[in-house]
Amino acid sequence: MHFHHLLPWALPALVLATDCTPPSILPHISLPPGLVLLPSTITVSIVSNYSLPATATSPGHPSLTFCNITLSYTRTNRPSVPITLRFFLPTTPFFKSRFLATGGGGLSLTSGERSLYPGLVHGAATGTTDGGFRNLADVILHSEGRMDYDMLYSYAFNGIRELGRIGKALTLGFYGTEKVWMYFQGCSEGGREGLSMAQRFGREWDGVAAGAPAMRQAMLQVVHLFPLLVEQKHHYEGGPCELEEVDRGVIEGCDGADGRVDGVVSRSELCGSEIKGVVGRGFKCPARAGGPAVEGRVGELAVTVAEEILAGLKDGKGRRVYIPVRPGSGFADAAMTWNVTTSKWGAVAGGLGLQYVNLFLKEVQDRTLDLEGVTGDTLREWMLEGMKKFADTLQTNWPDLSEYRDHGGKVLHWHGEADGGISAGSSVVYLDAVRRTMYPGLGLREGFAKMDEWYRFFLIPGAGHCGPNPQQPNGPFPQDLFGTLIDWVEKGINPGRLNTTVLGGPLKGTQQELCGWPLRPLWKDGVLDCVYDQPAVESWLPELDSIPVPVY
Ligand code: CA
């Protein structure tokens, strides 16, 4: 453990008016071999006294002053594709010898400048990269049938790795220091990027905060289509409003299983997928998504559809293909499309599921994907095809992090338990694969006890995809994950239980100390306890007996 690093007052003081200019910045831009700076693209500006409001993912700050830099470079094998980086560098003495790389969402490597502010709050030089594209879907095919593997690898890991290496050199040069702690923070696709760094370049990073990682994309992108198949099979024509009411019923039915009736499902494994009780609940929604205002009562068919979705994807032989969505997570992937010709809601493929199958598997530019004749077996075949095609890129589920651990790296991994876009179960399956791979001789509890020294996982009760969830407004959220990670990496303070705050609803402002996996929450007389319940933990690990190889 090397806790020694240069103290802030040992650094030369910056004068932004002279140090935050293109000629002053240029000498600090040092690119790894194979990359070429485009000097004319460098733009530099001083931002003074910026007031950052508190958000779900940052405590905010009243006055931030920083040097705002953008620059582009190319790779020697692709001189036509500029890759654009953006950095915010805080003033001294606010700078604390930290660099934070941040990640994107969906098929983008960047979340724009909003992802840079949470780093500044903690005195980190912070950066983001576009990897050479705005949206990978726009560039993944040279032409039909010809995948652009440079862009695929840029998205998979090269873009973020280059951001880290360039950002580290810039930070060391700009502040004239010899040590910088290297961090990554991201959620969804960003969470996947963080894991990709820990899995591949373990010696280059000290701390990774990975939320709801969009890993195992060969399965994840295809399973987005599964709820549509269920709706198609049952000729279901109810709209989003009815399924939302089903979700409310599921939440109400499961709420108390954790020992506290607060509108938050903190123990989704105690719900089961039997939800008959919601039949007959009234619902009412204004017009939206092209469809009309609706009012009605939940019917039997909506419940059948919801139960099949919650039960998860199976193949034609009844074997389990992939990890199901958690009860109480809503039915985002079941979203239907209003047909103006028939005036009915219908299941129409769209979004990432459609883009992935067309662009990444079939390598065609089609904007539609006909689901007629598509079954669970079809989805399984698509998954197996992608597992082979993208094993070293989009899967990002290599379970051995020894190099990262031995370098001293820490992982802070979290997932909203009510995430309707990426099942929280996806994270649990990976976590358990890491445990089994790295601690093969130990039992579940003993293995996690060892893993806790450097890899912690927290389910956020009631939270949705990368944020709080309006369906469970009393749920807590970790507003300052980066601060928690810094304390762990630099001061050796293991988060133990995770500090969170309820950010909305009647309990707004309440603090909660969340349980770290594999402990599970149980409220007793209004007090949150963390209990070890092995059957509950094992219920999060479905046997994917339809997939003929181990799924990490
Ligand atoms: Ca509850």
Side-chain angles (χ1 to χ4, degrees):
M1 292 287 174
H2 23 237
F3 291 109
H4 171 78
H5 59 102
L6 282 177
L7 297 167
W9 54 82
L11 295 175
L14 289 171
V15 180
L16 285 188
T18 50
D19 292 318
C20 182
T21 60
S24 307
I25 297 296
L26 190 59
H28 306 314
I29 299 169
S30 159
L31 304 191
L35 307 183
V36 181
L37 179 68
L38 303 173
S40 66
T41 62
I42 300 177
T43 69
V44 180
S45 63
I46 299 168
V47 179
S48 297
N49 303 317
Y50 179 82
S51 173
L52 177 68
T55 63
T57 51
S58 173
H61 194 279
S63 178
L64 295 165
T65 296
F66 55 95
C67 185
N68 171 14
I69 301 169
T70 59
L71 61 94
S72 299
Y73 65 93
T74 57
R75 301 186 179 116
T76 48
N77 61 327
R78 290 300 291 277
S80 63
V81 178
I83 296 148
T84 298
L85 307 180
R86 185 152 187 200
F87 297 102
F88 285 178
L89 306 181
T91 50
T92 52
F94 200 61
F95 173 67
K96 301 290 194 303
S97 296
R98 298 168 184 141
F99 178 76
L100 174 66
T102 63
L107 293 173
S108 176
L109 276 194
T110 181
S111 303
E113 68 173 39
R114 71 184 166 88
S115 72
L116 300 179
Y117 293 109
L120 283 184
V121 169
H122 288 286
T126 308
T128 181
T129 178
D130 70 359
F133 51 88
R134 181 184 292 268
N135 185 323
L136 186 62
D138 299 336
V139 298
I140 191 61
L141 297 182
H142 287 292
S143 61
E144 295 215 344
R146 284 185 66 227
M147 180 158 288
D148 187 337
Y149 281 91
D150 290 336
M151 291 294 110
L152 179 68
Y153 279 92
S154 187
Y155 173 82
F157 54 82
N158 275 341
I160 298 294
R161 190 196 190 198
E162 289 165 5
L163 167 66
R165 295 175 79 180
I166 298 167
K168 181 177 182 176
L170 173 62
T171 304
L172 293 177
F174 185 77
Y175 296 100
T177 182
E178 291 173 1
K179 164 70 189 176
V180 60
W181 296 100
M182 291 295 292
Y183 293 98
F184 180 90
Q185 175 164 262
C187 190
S188 191
E189 161 55 19
R192 185 199 65 77
E193 293 155 20
L195 291 182
S196 79
M197 293 300 105
Q199 290 169 6
R200 283 180 175 270
F201 310 112
R203 292 191 188 91
E204 298 176 19
W205 302 88
D206 301 303
V208 166
M215 61 196 309
R216 239 181 267 110
Q217 285 194 22
M219 283 91 154
L220 169 67
Q221 307 295 31
V222 171
V223 88
H224 283 313
L225 300 170
F226 163 59
L228 301 176
L229 296 193
V230 175
E231 291 168 337
Q232 179 177 264
K233 181 180 100 180
H234 290 288
H235 307 288
Y236 178 64
E237 293 170 352
C241 191
E242 185 177 32
L243 285 176
E244 255 172 41
E245 191 56 37
V246 172
D247 184 48
R248 268 192 284 278
V250 172
I251 292 166
E252 280 177 28
C254 300
D255 181 358
D258 55 29
R260 186 167 86 153
V261 178
D262 55 357
V264 181
V265 178
S266 298
R267 294 291 297 276
S268 60
E269 73 272 19
L270 302 179
C271 297
S273 57
E274 291 285 314
I275 50 175
K276 295 290 180 217
V278 306
V279 172
R281 286 174 64 106
F283 61 83
K284 185 177 180 180
C285 292
R288 62 171 162 171
V294 287
E295 189 169 355
R297 295 198 172 274
V298 172
E300 297 270 1
L301 191 56
V303 171
T304 301
V305 165
E307 284 180 344
E308 278 191 34
I309 292 171
L310 290 174
L313 174 59
K314 311 257 175 71
D315 67 15
K317 294 177 179 153
R319 299 173 302 185
R320 182 174 292 287
V321 181
Y322 200 54
I323 304 155
V325 71
R326 306 300 304 176
S329 299
F331 298 97
D333 285 337
M336 306 182 84
T337 303
W338 181 252
N339 184 322
V340 291
T341 310
T342 60
S343 291
K344 286 175 180 170
W345 292 100
V348 178
L352 288 167
L354 171 142
Q355 287 182 319
Y356 174 80
V357 172
N358 284 347
L359 296 171
F360 290 77
L361 292 182
K362 299 181 175 182
E363 300 186 26
V364 296
Q365 294 282 6
D366 287 0
R367 307 232 173 239
T368 59
L369 175 66
D370 189 357
L371 294 178
E372 195 61 42
V374 173
T375 65
D377 285 328
T378 319
L379 299 191
R380 173 182 182 270
E381 284 166 23
W382 284 340
M383 288 183 184
L384 293 176
E385 183 184 343
M387 287 176 77
K388 287 175 262 189
K389 190 168 181 177
F390 303 115
D392 64 342
T393 51
L394 303 179
Q395 288 298 79
T396 320
N397 59 345
W398 187 258
D400 176 22
L401 303 178
S402 303
E403 185 178 85
Y404 183 67
R405 175 196 60 190
D406 296 345
H407 160 75
K410 305 286 187 286
V411 180
L412 185 55
H413 179 170
W414 61 279
H415 208 132
E417 189 157 341
D419 187 328
I422 301 175
S423 173
S426 167
S427 279
V428 174
V429 166
Y430 176 69
L431 189 76
D432 207 64
V434 174
R435 175 190 67 80
R436 284 182 284 111
T437 301
M438 296 183 66
Y439 305 102
L442 300 178
L444 192 148
R445 193 170 191 182
E446 296 72 24
F448 277 120
K450 296 295 285 181
M451 207 162 136
D452 274 356
E453 294 167 10
W454 61 278
Y455 190 135
R456 300 297 313 275
F457 175 69
F458 296 92
L459 282 166
I460 316 299
H465 187 58
C466 297
N469 170 16
Q471 290 275 73
Q472 302 187 43
N474 281 328
F477 201 75
Q479 197 176 24
D480 191 17
L481 277 162
F482 186 37
T484 303
L485 181 62
I486 287 169
D487 283 347
W488 193 12
V489 168
E490 298 180 25
K491 300 177 192 162
I493 302 171
N494 189 303
R497 287 169 66 165
L498 183 66
N499 287 326
T500 59
T501 309
V502 178
L503 299 173
L507 298 180
K508 185 174 179 177
T510 313
Q511 306 283 316
Q512 273 183 34
E513 303 271 308
L514 299 187
C515 307
W517 191 264
L519 300 185
R520 298 295 289 139
L522 187 62
W523 295 86
K524 287 175 188 163
D525 304 321
V527 178
L528 177 58
D529 194 10
C530 296
V531 300
Y532 184 69
D533 180 344
Q534 187 149 329
V537 168
E538 287 173 349
S539 76
W540 280 75
L541 300 167
E543 189 193 352
L544 305 179
D545 55 339
S546 179
I547 303 294
V549 295
V551 176
Y552 297 125

